[in-house]
């Protein structure tokens, strides 16, 4: 008979749990429309929940007596309500729209947002359906003012800065290798699939104190903070195959994506300038796990990529066809944890790890290179009220590069390992209802002898609900990049100061942005050879100034089912850097950069048509056969591209894209033999694209319970 008392003791905790009161209810506007993703919690506890799409919430609590319920939601005034907990309660909570919400209203000078924000310039769908982008995030950003992409390398450059001056992040964590493998004269692509990201923050200058070690720009890609829906995607195209699958449970989701690309069939149909001995191949596998609770979100992303290719191309110095081959393995891991704390605090903790193993075979030598990188970051954020919010955090960076140079006669080893420790703080305050002030600072140390303090500031004024003005200032430093750090990692950090003035006109489906900017460089790296080598003499006496104007107009209101945007950049850059003899316009900068993108949805044939036209003025280059330095210019480049998305059914899409419809022959510059002939003349040849056009045809099929789901977001 002792069993009964024992069972009673075992059941007491269960009965206590079962008797915990349940706090449930609904959060609404005065109009009775529900408010999704509102945070409802009992102050001073972890008890709470977020509202669903119908504004409903429900959670258990072990608390009793008089408590305070707090309700917060972005874009709405927060609310506090006293409740008496005895038994379960049902609450109906009404929030008022907050027309002065910092996150929703302020347009910060130098920053473009892509996503669902009120001040977003483009949507995620815009990024990937722009003709000529071919689903490449980097190529789509080229259609925004301030950004340029050199055709010969495909890397992003911003406001007179070279590609090394832009850093890429995922969820605020650095990506050391954001591009696919490449050789000289071959353009790269962004390494990551665009469908992973629901938001993009692209800063052309004056960016937040949360980011550093970049002289010109930050590209921060954000994954969705919601669980993925169960579905499968199949893609078949002229360049490869793709398959993805997502499984969804109550509080978690797991997505797999695999692609295989092989250009061998494509290269047989399209003439190429290069002689391909092993056409480009890539195998890519990635997975993302998400877990979401009432007060937390966890995200783990991993990717593995393998690439290989080989080709022959004429080399002026060897005066013959020379073989180039590349094999590369790349691993990237990215993990984030978000926790909502009492009193409107939010804690973020994240870490990333990257590994690259690359082997370059060129002529009769090999260059195997390994790179390890990691980034750990923690941030605390607090929204005090609709007027004040602030954040502070710390982060640690580590990078190690090991490069070998091997040929039949020599073997050299180059490389470095280094680390950075940074702390940052930033506050945003709304004064007098229309004045928005952001102040921040960042401290960075290499844990040896170099350190910096970088102030950041932004001031915005809302003239009325449609017109805003803002100014930004920032001081920025950057370590020596890998191509030089492997020879001299101890060089003083390069420095730039940004000054930006912005005017924005924003109303539903129309946006106008104009920015004036100036960027002052100091301590730029110089060397006394044609390329940086281990025998070069390095100095940091370089300097420069970049001034210009950016213009952006977007309209999806004037014409039904039709949207377009116009971008123009004027960039006046004068820099003394690299092996330049004097301060000049760098050979990677075009003064004038213009593009227009137009998209039209034609319902009778279930099609979206897109046209993109880009105009790029000539870039300077140095001709050793003429007197002076950087005395020549390439011809103007003009590219007209087209894409067509056709819905065979709601979940089956046929996609066609064609670049350079007009068949223009862009010249990116000229390369010269290092020594003259007997007449003192340096032989040369033009740097050209590998093919006039790129043609793409693909079939995309989505299988899911949501019959409106398709892969238009990926194209």
């Amino acid at each position: 008979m002792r069993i009964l008392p024992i069972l009673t003791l075992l059941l007491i905790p269960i009965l206590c749990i079962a008797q915990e009161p349940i706090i449930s209810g609904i959060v609404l506007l005065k109009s009775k429309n529900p408010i999704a993703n509102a945070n409802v919690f009992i102050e001073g506890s972890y008890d709470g929940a977020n509202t669903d799409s119908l504004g409903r919430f429900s959670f258990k609590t072990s608390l009793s007596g008089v408590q305070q319920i707090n309700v917060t939601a972005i874009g709405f005034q927060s609310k506090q309500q006293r409740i008496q907990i005895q038994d379960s309660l049902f609450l109906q909570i009404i929030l008022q729209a907050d027309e002065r919400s910092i996150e929703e209203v302020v347009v910060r000078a130098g920053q473009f947002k892509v996503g669902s924000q009120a001040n977003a310039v483009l949507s995620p769908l815009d990024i990937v359906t722009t003709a000529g982008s071919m689903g490449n995030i980097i190529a789509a950003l080229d259609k925004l003012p301030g950004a340029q992409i050199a055709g010969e390398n495909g890397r992003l450059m911003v406001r007179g800065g070279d590609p090394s001056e832009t850093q890429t992040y995922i969820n605020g964590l650095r990506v050391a290798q954001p591009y696919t493998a490449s050789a000289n004269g071959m353009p790269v692509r962004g390494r990551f699939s665009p469908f992973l990201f629901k938001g993009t923050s692209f800063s052309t200058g004056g960016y937040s104190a949360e980011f550093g070690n970049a002289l010109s720009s930050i590209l921060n890609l954000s994954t969705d903070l919601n669980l993925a829906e169960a579905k499968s995607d199949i893609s078949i195209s002229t360049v490869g195959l793709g398959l993805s699958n997502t499984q969804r449970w109550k509080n978690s989701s797991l997505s797999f994506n695999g692609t295989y690309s092989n250009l061998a069939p494509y290269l047989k149909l399209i003439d190429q300038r290069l002689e391909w001995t092993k056409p480009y191949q890539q195998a890519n596998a990635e997975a993302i796990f998400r877990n979401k609770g009432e007060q937390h979100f966890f995200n783990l992303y991993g990717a593995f990529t393998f690439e290989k290719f080989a080709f022959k191309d004429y080399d002026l110095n060897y005066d013959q066809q020379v073989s180039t081959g590349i094999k590369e393995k790349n691993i990237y891991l990215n993990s984030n944890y978000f926790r909502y704390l009492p009193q409107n605090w939010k804690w973020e903790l994240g870490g990333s790890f990257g590994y690259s193993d690359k082997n370059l075979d060129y002529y009769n030598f090999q260059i195997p290179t390994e790179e390890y990188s990691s980034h750990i970051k923690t941030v605390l954020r607090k929204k005090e009220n609709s007027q004040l919010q602030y954040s502070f955090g710390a982060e640690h960076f580590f990078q190690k590069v090991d490069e070998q140079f091997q040929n039949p006669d020599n073997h050299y080893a180059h490389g470095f390992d280094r680390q950075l420790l940074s702390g940052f703080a930033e506050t945003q305050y709304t004064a007098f209802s229309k004045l928005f002030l952001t102040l921040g600072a960042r401290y960075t140390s290499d844990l040896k002898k170099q350190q910096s303090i970088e102030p950041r500031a932004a001031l915005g004024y809302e003239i009325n609900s449609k017109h805003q003005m803002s100014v930004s200032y920032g001081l920025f430093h950057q370590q020596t990049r890998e191509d030089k750090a492997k020879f001299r990692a101890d060089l003083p950090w390069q420095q730039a100061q940004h000054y930006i003035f912005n005017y924005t006109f924003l109303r539903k489906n129309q946006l106008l942005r104009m920015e004036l900017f100036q960027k002052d460089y100091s301590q730029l790296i110089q060397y006394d050879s044609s390329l940086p080598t281990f025998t070069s003499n390095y100095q940091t006496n370089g300097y420069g100034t970049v001034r210009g104007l950016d213009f952006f107009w977007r309209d999806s209101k004037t014409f039904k089912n039709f949207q377009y945007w116009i971008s123009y950049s004027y960039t006046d850059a004068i820099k003394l850097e690299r092996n330049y003899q004097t301060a000049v316009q760098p050979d990677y900068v075009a003064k004038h950069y213009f593009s227009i993108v137009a998209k039209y949805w034609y319902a009778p044939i279930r099609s979206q048509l897109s046209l993109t036209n880009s105009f790029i003025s000539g870039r300077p280059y140095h001709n050793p056969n003429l007197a002076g330095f950087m005395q020549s210019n390439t011809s103007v480049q003009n590219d007209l591209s087209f894409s067509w998305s056709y819905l065979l059914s709601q979940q089956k899409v046929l996609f066609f894209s064609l670049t350079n419809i007009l068949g223009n022959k862009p010249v990116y510059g000229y390369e010269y033999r290092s020594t003259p002939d007997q007449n003192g003349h340096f032989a040369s040849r033009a740097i050209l694209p590998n093919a006039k056009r790129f043609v793409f045809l693909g079939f995309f099929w989505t299988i899911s319970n949501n019959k409106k789901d398709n892969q238009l977001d990926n194209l």
Side-chain angles (χ1 to χ4, degrees):
M1 297 300 293
R2 294 181 180 178
I3 296 177
L4 184 59
I6 294 173
L7 287 175
T8 302
L9 290 173
L10 292 174
L11 287 172
I12 286 175
I14 299 174
L15 292 172
C16 290
I17 294 172
Q19 292 172 0
E20 285 185 352
I22 297 176
I23 311 299
S24 61
I26 188 169
V27 180
L28 304 168
L29 281 166
K30 283 186 177 180
S31 63
K32 302 302 180 181
N33 290 326
I35 299 175
N37 296 319
N39 188 22
V40 184
F41 62 95
I42 298 176
E43 183 173 338
S45 79
Y46 290 92
D47 298 337
N50 289 338
T51 58
D52 61 17
S53 60
L54 299 178
R56 300 173 301 191
F57 67 90
S58 178
F59 61 90
K60 294 179 180 180
T61 181
S62 58
L63 301 174
S64 61
V66 177
Q67 303 291 338
Q68 178 170 296
I69 285 280
N70 289 350
V71 185
T72 62
I74 294 176
F76 301 91
Q77 295 181 11
S78 59
K79 186 170 184 176
Q80 294 78 39
Q81 181 173 325
R82 306 291 285 185
I83 61 173
Q84 175 74 36
I85 303 178
Q86 291 178 336
D87 299 311
S88 296
L89 293 175
F90 182 88
L91 306 172
Q92 179 173 299
I93 301 170
I94 306 297
L95 296 186
Q96 293 184 351
D98 183 1
E99 296 181 354
R100 303 300 174 195
S101 171
I102 294 174
E103 291 184 342
E104 293 295 311
V105 176
V106 173
V107 175
R108 182 167 179 163
Q111 180 168 292
F112 290 94
K113 288 188 177 180
V114 178
S116 58
Q117 304 98 323
N119 58 355
V121 174
L122 303 175
S123 71
L125 187 61
D126 291 327
I127 282 286
V128 289
T129 58
T130 298
S133 72
M134 299 303 300
N136 179 8
I137 296 174
I138 303 300
L141 293 176
D142 177 45
K143 307 305 181 291
L144 292 178
Q148 296 185 17
I149 291 181
E152 68 272 27
N153 61 47
R155 289 177 170 82
L156 182 65
M157 301 178 292
V158 177
R159 287 181 171 170
D162 71 23
S164 70
E165 296 180 24
T166 295
Q167 289 273 26
T168 301
Y169 287 77
I170 293 179
N171 293 331
L173 297 169
R174 180 176 179 263
V175 181
Q177 298 284 343
Y179 297 105
T180 56
S182 171
N184 288 340
M186 285 188 59
V188 296
R189 288 174 57 89
R191 187 177 293 280
F192 301 100
S193 304
F195 79 89
L196 290 171
F197 308 106
K198 296 300 181 183
T200 302
S201 179
F202 173 51
S203 173
T204 53
Y207 52 86
S208 165
E210 184 176 339
F211 300 97
N213 202 22
L215 287 182
S216 288
S217 174
I218 288 296
L219 173 61
N220 186 31
L221 308 172
S222 301
T223 56
D224 196 352
L225 296 183
N226 292 298
L227 302 181
E229 297 297 330
K231 66 175 181 178
S232 297
D233 290 320
I234 300 171
S235 63
I236 304 171
S237 73
T238 50
V239 296
L241 307 170
L243 176 65
S244 67
N245 177 263
T246 297
Q247 298 295 322
R248 168 75 181 266
W249 300 278
K250 182 180 179 181
N251 297 318
S252 304
S253 66
L254 179 62
S255 301
F256 291 94
N257 181 59
T259 60
Y260 173 71
S261 301
N262 190 328
L263 292 186
Y266 178 85
L267 296 177
K268 291 180 179 179
L269 300 175
I270 306 296
D271 291 337
Q272 302 283 307
R273 180 181 61 83
L274 299 175
E275 179 186 341
W276 290 90
T277 54
K278 292 181 181 178
Y280 179 85
Q281 293 184 66
Q282 182 198 73
N284 181 72
E286 52 195 349
I288 183 167
F289 173 77
R290 300 181 176 101
N291 177 265
K292 187 173 184 178
E294 293 179 346
Q295 299 294 330
H296 80 274
F297 183 85
F298 174 73
N299 180 91
L300 175 62
Y301 168 74
F304 172 78
T305 304
F306 174 74
E307 302 168 88
K308 67 176 182 178
F309 58 87
F311 60 87
K312 291 182 178 180
D313 193 16
Y314 180 75
D315 189 291
L316 279 170
N317 289 308
Y318 292 108
D319 197 21
Q320 66 181 44
Q321 292 283 103
V322 171
S323 296
T324 300
I326 287 181
K327 289 182 181 179
E328 181 171 358
K329 292 180 291 186
N330 187 279
I331 298 173
Y332 181 73
L333 299 174
N334 181 298
S335 181
N336 302 87
Y337 179 78
F338 305 91
R339 184 82 188 182
Y340 293 97
L341 304 175
Q343 300 181 344
N344 287 347
W345 282 96
K346 181 184 179 184
W347 177 47
E348 301 175 10
L349 176 66
S352 68
F353 170 79
Y355 171 73
S356 173
D357 181 7
K358 178 179 178 180
N359 197 319
L360 168 64
D361 289 313
Y362 182 79
Y363 191 50
N364 67 344
F365 57 82
Q366 295 80 42
I367 306 179
T369 304
E370 285 187 300
E371 179 177 355
Y372 301 84
S373 63
S374 67
H375 181 195
I376 300 172
K377 180 178 181 179
T378 183
V379 186
L380 278 169
R381 305 185 193 276
K382 165 79 166 176
K383 185 173 183 180
E384 196 71 47
N385 49 48
S386 61
Q387 289 183 295
L388 176 65
Q389 59 182 308
Y390 46 86
S391 63
F392 55 89
E395 57 189 346
H396 177 269
F397 298 88
F398 172 78
Q399 185 181 26
K400 179 181 180 181
V401 172
D402 180 12
E403 179 182 284
Q404 308 292 320
F405 180 93
Q406 304 165 0
N407 66 20
D409 302 319
N410 298 292
H411 180 196
Y412 303 101
H414 309 292
F416 62 88
D417 63 84
R418 60 188 180 186
Q419 51 187 325
L420 286 178
L421 183 64
S422 297
F424 54 87
E426 192 164 74
T427 183
Q428 299 176 61
Y429 179 69
T430 306
F432 312 116
S433 298
K434 293 189 175 184
L435 193 65
F436 307 93
L437 176 64
T438 301
L439 293 175
R442 181 180 180 86
Y443 169 79
T444 301
S445 169
D446 67 355
L447 306 181
K448 292 181 180 179
K449 63 178 182 179
Q450 298 199 62
Q451 56 186 345
S452 67
I453 297 177
E454 302 172 354
R456 314 279 172 86
L459 181 67
Y461 178 71
E462 188 182 57
I463 301 170
N464 55 42
S465 61
K466 297 178 183 178
H467 302 269
Q468 298 180 39
M469 295 188 301
S470 62
V471 292
S472 288
Y473 166 79
L475 176 63
F476 305 88
H477 291 85
Q478 179 172 310
Q479 288 178 300
T480 307
R481 283 304 179 225
E482 293 79 4
D483 62 332
K484 305 173 191 69
K486 62 188 178 184
F487 307 124
R488 282 287 306 276
D490 60 338
L491 290 170
W493 296 345
Q494 300 172 95
Q495 180 176 292
Q497 296 187 73
H498 297 187
Y499 308 86
I500 308 170
F501 170 78
N502 169 281
Y503 164 76
T504 298
F505 167 79
L506 175 66
R507 67 181 177 188
K508 188 175 181 180
N509 298 323
Q510 287 185 325
L511 171 67
L512 171 67
R513 285 178 61 118
M514 292 188 292
E515 288 193 350
L516 295 169
F517 64 88
Q518 178 167 319
K519 184 162 47 175
D520 294 330
Y521 289 92
S522 59
Q523 299 181 186
L524 295 182
I525 296 175
Q526 296 178 273
Y527 45 88
D528 59 356
S529 52
S530 58
L531 294 172
T533 68
F534 71 98
T535 61
S536 301
N537 179 34
Y538 294 93
Q539 303 289 336
T540 54
N541 299 322
Y543 58 87
T545 298
V546 182
R547 301 184 181 94
L549 164 70
D550 287 343
F551 171 91
F552 182 84
W553 166 252
R554 178 196 169 102
D555 180 13
S556 54
K557 176 182 179 180
T558 304
F559 306 102
K560 184 178 180 180
N561 297 329
F562 181 80
Q563 62 171 291
Y564 68 96
W565 66 83
I566 299 171
S567 299
Y568 170 73
S569 295
Y570 170 74
T571 307
D572 181 22
I574 301 295
K575 298 170 76 175
L576 176 64
E577 60 177 357
R578 302 185 177 186
N579 62 344
Y580 293 175
Q581 301 170 8
T582 184
V584 294
Q585 179 184 342
D587 56 4
Y588 50 83
V589 177
K591 274 198 174 184
H592 303 278
Y593 212 86
F594 171 85
S595 67
I596 180 168
V597 177
K599 300 180 182 181
Y600 179 63
W601 171 255
Y602 190 53
I605 60 172
R606 303 193 302 275
S607 296
Q608 177 176 276
L609 308 174
S610 176
L611 276 175
T612 300
N613 192 68
S614 299
F615 170 91
I616 307 170
S617 63
R619 288 159 35 193
Y621 66 94
H622 176 63
N623 184 346
N625 295 311
L626 299 177
F629 182 67
M630 287 288 186
Q631 70 291 79
S632 301
N633 278 278
T634 62
S635 57
V636 171
Q637 297 179 34
N638 185 45
D639 177 84
L640 179 65
S641 297
F642 167 78
S643 70
W644 175 24
S645 304
Y646 173 59
L647 271 67
L648 297 169
S649 67
Q650 186 60 38
Q651 294 190 308
K652 297 176 183 177
V653 180
L654 190 66
F655 180 76
F656 172 77
S657 180
L658 175 65
T659 64
N660 194 18
I661 294 174
L662 303 178
N664 294 321
K665 299 178 181 179
V667 176
Y668 302 135
Y670 292 86
E671 57 182 359
Y672 291 84
R673 182 170 290 169
S674 58
T675 56
D677 60 21
Q678 58 185 1
N679 296 318
H681 184 268
F682 291 86
S684 67
R685 70 165 188 162
I687 301 173
L688 303 170
N690 296 324
K692 271 188 182 182
R693 302 179 179 89
F694 187 82
V695 184
F696 180 87
L697 179 64
F699 170 71
F700 302 86
W701 184 14
T702 296
I703 304 169
S704 71
N705 292 327
N706 180 1
K707 299 305 178 182
K708 294 184 179 181
D709 227 353
N710 56 44
Q711 295 186 65
L712 276 176
D713 285 358
N714 302 351
L715 307 183

